[in-house]
Amino acid sequence: MTDLTSLTLAEARDALKAKSFTAVELTDAYLAAMEKARVLNAYVAETPEKAREMAKTSDERIAAGKAGALEGLPLGIKDLYATKGVHTQACSHILDGFEPTYESTVSANLWADGAVMLGKLNMDEFAMGSSNETSHYGSVVNPWRRNGSDANLVPGGSSGGSAAAVAARLCLGATATDTGGSIRQPAAFTGTAGIKPTYGRCSRWGLVAFASSLDQAGPIARDVRDAAILLKSMASVDPKDTTSVDIPVPDYEAAVGKSVKGLRIGIPKEYRLDGMPAEIDALWQKGIDILREAGAEIVDISLPHTKYALPAYYIVAPAEASSNLARYDGVRYGLRVPGSDIVDMYENTRAAGFGAEVKRRILIGTYVLSAGYYDAYYLRAQKVRTLIKRDFETVYAAGVDAILTPATPSAAFGIGEKADADPVEMYLNDVFTVTVNMAGLPGLAVPAGLSAEGLPLGLQLIGRPFDEETLFTLGSAIEKAVGTFAPKRWW
Amino acid sequence: MSVDTATVRRVARLARIKVTDDEAERMTNELNSILGFVEQLDEVDVAGVEPMTSVVSVKMRRRQDVVTDGEDAEGVTANAPVSEDNFFLVPKVVE
Amino acid sequence: MNMAVRTPDPKKLIKGATGDWEIIIGLEVHAQVTSNAKLFSGASAVFGAEPNMHVSLVDAAMPGMLPVINEECVAQAIRTGLGLKAAINLYSVFDRKNYFYPDLPQGYQISQYKQPIVGEGKVLLDMPEGVVEIGIERLHLEQDAGKSIHDQHPTMSFVDLNRSGVALMEIVSKPDLRSSEEVKAYLAKLRTILRYLGTCDGNMEEGSMRADINVSVRKPGDPLGTRCEIKNVNSMRFAAQAVEFEARRQIGIIEDGGKIDQETRLYDPGKGETRSMRSKEEAHDYRYFPDPDLLPLELDPAWVEGLKAQLPELPDEKKARFVADYGITPYDAMVLTLERASADYYEQVAKKRDGKAVANFMINELFGRLNKDGKGIEASPVSPEQLGSIVDLIGDGTISGKIAKDLFEIVYTEGGDPRKLVEERGLKQVTDTGAIEKAVDEVIAANPDKAEQAKAKPTLSGWFVGQVMKATGGKANPQAVNDLVKAKLGIE
């Protein structure tokens, strides 16, 4: 039998339907692959028993002709998602031992469609990071290496475990979340496809909150079609999340492979950064050429407030985080470090429970909301956000269907390489992705080539609100031209 | 605007995070670096611009006034570091 | 805020060593919204369950939980706003008020800071000197906190989150009150309005209505003094006492050359004094910002109109109508409309009867008797029908007013149809002039000297009337007795 883990999610789905193998066999193949790949540190909790049990149920449903859309397909779940009775810690020390009595809406949607859970995936602590080095469970290792080098690279973050697991064939697909680029940046670093849907497309209920107005769930998958299949199951309106939107979920897979003829693609001049590596520029040009040749119309556009998105983000996101993370106080769940009185207990618990990056953001957020600074920072940032959104509305109103940009300003970097750098340098990783969160728009990262060093590079497609379909169409056109990418197995 | 170590200590106290002298020193530098970075927002003319309240333009849905939850004190306290008789226990609070 | 709309009333000033002082008072009343479920979760809002039984995952601030607003709580706030003749804001925003406390699981309270659901309104107080208008600054919705119990363990506090997330309305008055009497009247009136509307049960003992009282003092005409806030007062009596004490405390300090520190204080009913709560003062910086989990609350004007159309008649309107329709005094109308149930009771009886007579009987007999038993009108053993027939019996001369009191007591304690009771127990008023005449003759015959005196001093006839009434067991028609006594004594 060929290695079952080499199949894409769509292929595995069709093979299960054709009864070429069983869901239990498929699941076992993944459990074996996970065991051999522990050096990548992609999973923080493996759930083999649960996986086999779910796979067995799937086989019964397939036999009974009652298969769901994802029946028997093994997936990895980011540790940010609440999974009932299973490790859910957002990879933070402060949630030590936390096992929720509830299941997040998005993961529940996946199980309802028949998917199988392999375990919980590593991530930056509370999704704060761009390299997966802030996890309490240690860094994730990117399955990709530079040509002729055995140096370990970061997979990007915060969904580094999700991206690495998908790239290394340790699951068919993975759930992830994106607050400033946490799906698209790691997808670009690992040669995988990842989509951050429109804000409100997926329920946030049961997702450990980082920044409520920016957080959005989405999939990381091997290719565009797989991402489309997964998003269809993940998305729903949820009465438990009033920011989820009551718009029917279309058949995203049907958008894959459609013609791009006549679509107008905007190329924003503000994304051409000073000092941007030539190969990123070249990759972007390649994407433009591919879409033009496929029949799309390319237009130059301007998004004048682009450069302010990242600084505004570093006010809004930490402000919301400082409040969202106040509940981790050692009273109702997770870590408690004793103290001489209640305040001392709080301070000890939070000092020991949060890592350096999380503390940094809580302090920034607390500061910008504190008396006397609110107007200068938070209010101004939210006004800038209005302007950023307006930029996009203007170009969409002028007939642009989607926008093409690079996904990241560089390829994956080495673990520890930026450890001593200024925090702002790390934040610049999200310079192309963060505008999309600030405006609540959908963004798809799709692999478009390899760097001179042999590392994957990605392009980003930004769409109109709730028009993920156009992104899947355009993404699949790029994919068709450049193919898909897989790392050489070294682990 | 920049912050000094005393401000960082005050903010850490507000956020209930204990910081050592070294940490306060380091965080002061980091915070100033971030505050320096966000300072470029001052260039933006925001006169007459409404602050964003929501990226999605929908009306907030509401729930009906029906009891659908609760009645599970054990479940609620299941993850508590210290609990007794379904109460959460904390170091004594002096009023 | 309007600062000095009222001219100082000399009767309300406090005499100090250096002259008269005016007390300036504003109240923030927290009223628990009457609803089945909490403001943002589906857990029960009912008081008094086992620890943490009325707690949802949202109330316990489990990771990833989100608030969803309860529509009825919004409707209740709007009804209350309409009842306070206030502006309803069709666009309002929920903010987070951030602070750490063990009974605040989220680490923030969801409240409304800059854009509340209800704007300016007013409350009218019936004071002895006339009607006083108290301005309402705003009303907003917010979450209640849980409860910490400190006496269960030597070193630990016990936290129960049953109250956590219950909907509260914070009703903020303008600094328009000037005396402890007005504070009491304001709280009573507010409670009356809330109960009429059915938006809060007004039960101060269970904590469903609590007041934070801002007190400052000044010499009449001076700018406002520094205020102190007395937190969490849960009875009208304590509120009045706290204001009295606090005003005198402040006057004492200022007159001794001191300065008032703006601070939060607590009223200790045992000692009858307020004391500083400095422990809670530390580093107040609530870092308010709009809650990103909740969209702005936008109201459909038609929905608000619908709520308005279904609003019950409110105490002020009812009072005015009682005066107009039943010819009773404004004071009686005020007493009768204090509780909606009393007003309803009254109307049931007064319809097609003499409104004044009914009002008198209710206020003097029924309310007095219920009060004695500590009962509310809902628990009255005498039904409106029974009370009505007692009033009828007086009206048609079947019984005297005195007998009516006895009959009322019988109906109150034993029950029964008043008309039948009158028959069975022989309570009927004697109108037979022959019988009355006989009794009058007997009394006069037994007291010849008094009869003689009465001719010179006509007021003595009252004594004879009383003797006759006594002799007839109160059943004689007093008017007939009166007439006969006068005729027989030869008094005009």
Side-chain angles (χ1 to χ4, degrees):
Chain A
M1 197 158 54
T2 56
D3 182 4
L4 296 183
T5 65
S6 66
L7 302 173
T8 66
L9 182 131
E11 289 163 355
R13 174 191 62 185
D14 298 342
L16 278 174
K17 210 175 280 171
K19 304 203 168 71
S20 307
F21 47 80
T22 66
V24 170
E25 285 165 349
L26 183 63
T27 298
D28 280 337
Y30 275 103
L31 291 173
M34 286 156 65
E35 212 178 309
K36 281 187 218 140
R38 294 218 174 108
V39 63
L40 299 179
N41 200 26
Y43 282 88
V44 292
E46 297 177 8
T47 54
E49 280 163 32
K50 195 177 175 72
R52 289 199 183 94
E53 193 185 307
M54 290 173 93
K56 214 174 134 234
T57 310
S58 284
D59 281 331
E60 287 162 14
R61 281 209 291 250
I62 292 168
K66 288 177 184 164
L70 300 176
E71 200 65 61
L73 303 177
L75 305 177
I77 304 295
K78 188 177 182 179
D79 199 34
L80 199 75
Y81 288 69
T83 43
K84 191 172 179 174
V86 175
H87 186 286
T88 299
Q89 293 183 210
C91 285
S92 178
H93 184 34
I94 208 157
L95 271 166
D96 260 8
F98 181 63
E99 290 184 353
T101 57
Y102 49 95
E103 185 79 30
S104 81
T105 299
V106 170
S107 54
N109 286 345
L110 294 172
W111 313 143
D113 275 349
V116 169
M117 179 164 79
L118 293 170
K120 299 303 283 290
L121 293 163
N122 205 339
M123 56 181 282
D124 278 304
E125 183 183 6
F126 283 109
M128 296 179 191
S130 305
S131 63
N132 219 306
E133 291 169 287
T134 73
S135 167
H136 178 61
Y137 297 93
S139 299
V140 175
V141 177
N142 193 330
W144 288 84
R145 283 176 164 176
R146 293 183 184 119
N147 292 334
S149 162
D150 59 3
N152 283 339
L153 305 179
V154 304
S158 67
S159 310
S162 305
V166 172
R169 312 289 189 246
L170 309 180
C171 57
L172 272 173
T175 67
T177 60
D178 191 318
T179 305
S182 283
I183 288 175
R184 293 156 290 156
Q185 187 252 14
F189 276 15
T190 56
T192 53
I195 184 163
K196 181 207 92 77
T198 313
Y199 185 84
R201 180 70 287 182
C202 293
S203 168
R204 293 184 297 115
W205 194 88
L207 263 57
V208 176
F210 162 14
S212 310
S213 75
L214 300 157
D215 295 345
Q216 189 59 210
I220 291 180
R222 273 185 223 174
D223 62 18
V224 173
R225 180 180 298 274
D226 286 2
I229 294 168
L230 286 169
L231 182 60
K232 166 94 169 104
S233 284
M234 292 168 74
S236 67
V237 62
D238 183 358
K240 291 181 287 195
D241 175 6
T242 52
T243 61
S244 72
V245 175
D246 194 2
I247 295 176
V249 181
D251 179 7
Y252 294 124
E253 195 180 357
V256 174
K258 272 169 83 172
S259 167
V260 304
K261 207 157 266 162
L263 289 175
R264 295 184 81 179
I265 309 304
I267 309 298
K269 64 170 194 255
E270 290 79 8
Y271 281 63
R272 221 167 281 281
L273 299 182
D274 290 341
M276 187 160 80
E279 60 184 5
I280 299 291
D281 210 12
L283 182 87
W284 194 5
Q285 192 54 52
K286 185 166 123 191
I288 294 170
D289 294 342
I290 289 169
L291 292 179
R292 187 185 285 122
E293 276 158 32
E297 183 192 345
I298 305 296
V299 292
D300 287 328
I301 59 165
S302 172
L303 301 167
H305 296 91
T306 298
K307 75 174 273 207
Y308 302 110
L310 199 57
Y313 174 85
Y314 273 95
I315 292 171
V316 173
E320 292 182 7
S322 71
S323 178
N324 282 336
L325 271 59
R327 64 188 58 198
Y328 306 104
D329 59 4
V331 175
R332 295 165 314 284
Y333 40 75
L335 183 74
R336 173 185 293 192
V337 179
S340 58
D341 60 19
I342 181 80
V343 174
D344 202 42
M345 186 278 274
Y346 285 154
E347 291 191 337
N348 290 340
T349 300
R350 290 165 63 82
F354 292 136
E357 182 60 31
V358 173
K359 285 183 196 171
R360 194 177 293 146
R361 297 202 197 187
I362 290 176
L363 292 196
I364 278 286
T366 305
Y367 178 73
V368 299
L369 289 176
S370 65
Y373 297 106
Y374 177 83
D375 287 3
Y377 288 114
Y378 188 79
L379 195 64
R380 174 169 278 269
Q382 289 288 31
K383 286 178 179 176
V384 170
R385 209 174 158 188
T386 299
L387 294 172
I388 292 165
K389 188 169 183 234
R390 211 178 275 170
D391 284 353
F392 283 104
E393 285 165 354
T394 306
V395 298
Y396 289 140
V400 167
D401 293 298
I403 295 161
L404 180 72
T405 77
T408 58
S410 74
F413 47 89
I415 290 176
E417 205 171 274
K418 298 194 177 184
D420 300 321
D422 190 289
V424 173
E425 199 181 310
M426 187 66 98
Y427 299 166
L428 289 171
N429 264 295
D430 293 333
V431 67
F432 296 135
T433 47
V434 79
T435 46
V436 176
N437 301 78
M438 293 298 269
L441 300 171
L444 171 73
V446 57
L450 297 178
S451 71
E453 293 179 311
L455 296 178
L457 294 171
L459 288 172
Q460 172 178 238
L461 287 154
I462 305 168
R464 297 165 182 267
F466 299 101
D467 187 15
E468 285 81 2
E469 288 166 285
T470 298
L471 300 186
F472 287 126
T473 298
L474 289 164
S476 60
I478 292 172
E479 193 177 69
K480 195 175 160 201
V482 302
T484 56
F485 303 88
K488 264 199 218 78
R489 186 177 293 184
W490 53 264
W491 54 90
Chain B
M1 267 179 271
S2 68
V3 294
D4 55 16
T5 314
T7 306
V8 168
R9 287 194 166 283
R10 183 181 62 79
V11 171
R13 175 80 175 169
L14 263 180
R16 297 287 185 265
I17 296 174
K18 194 167 277 180
V19 290
T20 63
D21 290 345
D22 284 355
E23 278 176 318
E25 197 72 37
R26 183 170 49 77
M27 285 176 179
T28 305
N29 293 330
E30 290 169 356
L31 258 55
N32 279 328
S33 159
I34 297 166
L35 291 172
F37 174 65
V38 304
E39 214 160 68
Q40 52 183 308
L41 292 183
D42 293 349
E43 301 163 12
V44 187
D45 180 8
V46 293
V49 178
E50 282 295 312
M52 181 171 283
T53 46
S54 163
V55 283
V56 286
S57 53
V58 292
K59 249 180 103 172
M60 178 164 67
R61 285 190 304 278
R62 303 166 194 172
R63 69 161 70 240
Q64 294 305 302
D65 186 26
V66 181
V67 176
T68 54
D69 211 336
E71 306 301 329
D72 181 21
E74 272 171 40
V76 162
T77 54
N79 277 288
V82 190
S83 68
E84 198 177 302
D85 299 336
N86 294 336
F87 283 102
F88 298 103
L89 265 61
V90 298
K92 194 151 211 149
V93 181
V94 188
E95 298 243 302
Chain C
M1 286 212 209
N2 63 337
M3 283 309 164
V5 286
R6 299 178 61 184
T7 25
D9 176 351
K11 280 179 294 196
K12 292 192 169 161
L13 300 180
I14 293 191
K15 293 233 179 308
T18 60
D20 289 342
W21 293 86
E22 187 182 18
I23 322 176
I24 310 290
I25 308 153
L27 282 95
E28 292 163 20
V29 172
H30 292 90
Q32 186 192 321
V33 173
T34 300
S35 65
N36 299 317
K38 295 183 177 181
L39 182 53
F40 294 113
S41 86
S44 169
V46 171
F47 182 80
E50 291 294 305
N52 289 313
M53 281 304 272
H54 288 177
V55 178
S56 76
L57 299 168
V58 176
D59 309 318
M62 291 291 166
M65 293 301 99
L66 299 170
V68 181
I69 197 161
N70 179 338
E71 180 160 76
E72 176 62 10
C73 295
V74 176
Q76 293 287 54
I78 295 168
R79 288 184 190 112
T80 307
L82 293 169
L84 299 173
K85 315 283 181 234
I88 305 301
N89 295 326
L90 297 178
Y91 181 95
S92 66
V93 174
F94 286 96
D95 297 285
R96 292 184 182 178
K97 179 182 183 180
N98 295 283
Y99 65 97
F100 286 87
Y101 205 70
D103 59 21
L104 188 74
Q106 295 158 307
Y108 55 84
Q109 176 196 36
I110 305 177
S111 180
Q112 298 189 294
Y113 181 49
K114 286 191 178 147
Q115 291 169 281
I117 184 165
V118 174
E120 292 189 328
K122 64 183 176 192
V123 169
L124 302 179
L125 309 184
D126 290 293
M127 300 307 292
E129 69 273 18
V131 172
V132 172
E133 180 179 321
I134 304 299
I136 296 295
E137 180 71 27
R138 57 183 280 166
L139 174 155
H140 68 253
L141 279 168
E142 64 182 28
Q143 298 176 298
D144 203 351
K147 210 171 77 179
S148 303
I149 306 166
H150 308 298
D151 56 4
Q152 300 284 308
H153 191 281
T155 60
M156 301 292 249
S157 291
F158 284 47
V159 180
D160 170 19
L161 300 178
N162 280 343
R163 310 285 303 154
S164 164
V166 168
L168 299 178
M169 297 179 281
E170 179 170 328
I171 303 164
V172 183
S173 85
K174 300 198 175 199
D176 283 354
L177 297 97
R178 295 292 179 268
S179 68
S180 58
E181 289 78 28
E182 288 186 0
V183 168
K184 251 199 283 192
Y186 173 80
L187 288 171
K189 186 59 177 283
L190 199 56
R191 190 167 74 154
T192 299
I193 294 171
L194 296 176
R195 287 187 171 177
Y196 262 71
L197 293 165
T199 58
C200 169
D201 67 21
N203 194 331
M204 292 191 89
E205 298 73 49
E206 285 181 4
S208 28
M209 226 177 109
R210 313 186 284 262
D212 297 342
I213 311 170
N214 286 293
V215 180
S216 67
V217 296
R218 67 173 173 191
K219 290 277 175 71
D222 280 2
L224 282 181
T226 305
R227 64 190 162 86
C228 291
E229 185 181 20
I230 310 164
K231 278 268 180 212
N232 252 326
V233 182
N234 64 354
S235 105
M236 294 186 202
R237 196 159 51 91
F238 294 163
Q241 290 169 357
V243 167
E244 288 290 332
F245 175 88
E246 181 58 19
R248 280 168 216 281
R249 185 188 73 89
Q250 292 183 15
I251 292 166
I253 290 174
I254 301 170
E255 291 192 331
D256 287 346
K259 223 175 103 270
I260 304 299
D261 294 327
Q262 182 162 346
E263 61 177 0
T264 307
R265 301 180 67 84
L266 206 62
Y267 180 65
D268 181 338
K271 293 184 179 152
E273 59 184 40
T274 65
R275 62 178 158 81
S276 179
M277 293 175 71
R278 280 185 212 283
S279 60
K280 275 205 169 181
E281 288 291 284
E282 187 214 2
H284 268 314
D285 190 340
Y286 292 128
R287 292 159 282 137
Y288 285 100
F289 76 109
D291 191 325
D293 286 331
L294 293 161
L295 301 169
L297 179 60
E298 291 176 78
L299 305 176
D300 177 0
W303 187 57
V304 176
E305 278 309 311
L307 293 172
K308 193 173 186 174
Q310 285 165 26
L311 230 48
E313 186 181 34
L314 290 163
D316 289 330
E317 285 78 29
K318 210 179 265 292
K319 181 186 140 194
R321 186 168 60 79
F322 281 11
V323 170
D325 288 4
Y326 299 106
I328 59 177
T329 65
Y331 178 81
D332 284 357
M334 189 269 285
V335 173
L336 289 169
T337 52
L338 272 180
E339 297 275 348
R340 187 169 162 183
S342 317
D344 290 348
Y345 190 110
Y346 172 74
E347 282 215 275
Q348 245 183 297
V349 184
K351 212 161 269 169
K352 296 182 207 155
R353 288 195 177 91
D354 174 7
K356 277 191 210 168
V358 175
N360 282 337
F361 203 86
M362 262 185 81
I363 293 169
N364 297 327
E365 305 307 325
L366 180 63
F367 287 177
R369 190 67 182 82
L370 289 170
N371 230 356
K372 207 172 119 190
D373 282 0
K375 277 185 183 154
I377 189 102
E378 311 79 23
S380 169
V382 179
S383 72
E385 292 72 28
Q386 289 169 313
L387 192 105
S389 78
I390 297 175
V391 173
D392 289 343
L393 289 165
I394 308 170
D396 62 21
T398 310
I399 57 172
S400 67
K402 188 180 174 306
I403 288 296
K405 291 183 194 201
D406 299 340
L407 176 61
F408 172 77
E409 184 60 27
I410 294 167
V411 176
Y412 187 95
T413 48
E414 301 171 27
D417 176 356
R419 215 165 268 283
K420 277 190 192 147
L421 285 167
V422 166
E423 293 291 339
E424 286 161 17
R425 312 212 177 177
L427 300 173
K428 226 174 185 166
Q429 179 162 261
V430 180
T431 42
D432 169 8
T433 14
I436 297 172
E437 197 171 351
K438 191 171 159 249
V440 172
D441 286 344
E442 280 168 16
V443 172
I444 291 175
N447 300 283
D449 45 339
K450 275 214 166 66
E452 200 53 40
Q453 286 171 27
K455 280 173 186 150
K457 198 180 169 197
T459 49
L460 255 179
S461 71
W463 183 84
F464 284 94
V465 172
Q467 292 300 306
V468 174
M469 290 305 287
K470 207 168 157 186
T472 57
K475 282 180 276 183
N477 181 325
Q479 195 54 49
V481 176
N482 202 33
D483 292 348
L484 274 167
V485 165
K486 282 186 176 169
K488 297 267 176 185
L489 292 173
I491 302 168
E492 267 313 292

